[in-house]
Every structure is written in C-alpha cells, then in structure tokens.
Amino acid sequence: MGDFMIGKYYPYSKEAQLYQNRKRTKNKNFSMAVKLAIFERDRYRCVKCGSHLIDSVPHHITYKSQGGQGTKRNGATTCRRCHDWAHHKCQGPYGEPSSEGRKWFEDWRDRMLDEAGNLK
C-alpha cells in the first residue's frame, strides 16, 4: 500500500482546547477587579429592585454574544430574578413584560453611567 497521507494529524488534549476557548473570550468576561468595581459602584444591590441577594457575576448589559465587553460601563449588579428578566426568561420584579428587561438595563446605563462606567 505505501505511505499515502493527505495531511498530518496532531491531536491535542481537552485541556488545550478549553484553554483556547477561554483565551479567545477573555476580553468579554469581567475581571475580578471590574466585578468588584461594579459591585461597589452599585453598593452590592440589584440596580433594578434593590435586593441584597445578588448574583456573583454582574449582568452584561450588551450581551457577550453581541460583542459586549467586560467593562465597568457594560456591567450591572442584579439579583437572579432581574438577571433572568434581562434575558427574557421571566416577568420583571414588578410584573413588567419579559420583553422589556433588556431595554430597561440599556436605558439605565445611558441614564446613570458616564463613559467610564461611574455613576453620573
């Protein structure tokens, strides 16, 4: 038969694949310093309903899938219910339609934050 090869096969481990994926999306995730800055800015309360029972990761106002970066201006402290509302998974905390969540957070950002992500 002979040594007929179209290309070479270089297998690499699952760990290497996972590292590759993390590296590619790193700039979209919030760093620990940015998370703390967002939580401190929002006084460790949900910006929508005021709850102290907050998620461990801020909400990306512009979704990562749509190019939203891991910046202070693109983050908001939320509780689980308000975070789900922002992603159209349930009604808002005061009965708002699920379709209004995303727009509310975008409006909040424009109304409340300067370009650096600090309160106006």
Side-chain angles (χ1 to χ4, degrees):
M1 290 244 145
D3 293 326
F4 180 78
M5 286 186 71
I6 295 175
K8 293 184 178 182
Y9 175 67
Y10 296 105
Y12 54 102
S13 69
K14 186 68 172 174
E15 291 79 19
Q17 293 174 42
L18 291 173
Y19 175 74
Q20 235 179 4
N21 289 339
R22 259 187 311 199
K23 189 175 176 184
R24 185 176 30 192
T25 61
K26 187 175 182 182
N27 63 338
K28 292 183 180 184
N29 293 326
F30 295 114
S31 69
M32 186 56 72
V34 172
K35 285 180 195 178
L36 290 174
I38 291 169
F39 291 147
E40 288 174 5
R41 177 199 65 206
D42 300 336
R43 297 185 176 108
Y44 294 89
R45 298 183 132 219
C46 176
V47 298
K48 172 63 176 161
C49 72
S51 173
H52 283 290
L53 300 173
I54 59 173
D55 276 351
S56 60
V57 177
H59 166 61
H60 278 82
I61 297 170
T62 301
Y63 300 158
K64 291 190 299 184
S65 62
Q66 295 179 334
Q69 299 297 305
T71 62
K72 188 175 173 183
R73 180 166 165 75
N74 195 40
T77 303
T78 57
C79 65
R80 174 71 336 208
R81 180 175 180 102
C82 291
H83 200 165
D84 286 347
W85 176 57
H87 288 275
H88 310 289
K89 294 180 181 178
C90 67
Q91 286 187 332
Y94 306 110
E96 303 93 337
S98 63
S99 61
E100 292 180 7
R102 181 174 184 186
K103 180 77 171 124
W104 188 92
F105 282 95
E106 290 171 347
D107 291 344
W108 175 84
R109 174 183 55 199
D110 296 340
R111 211 175 52 250
M112 301 298 291
L113 302 181
D114 63 17
E115 290 303 311
N118 298 312
L119 293 172
K120 289 181 181 179

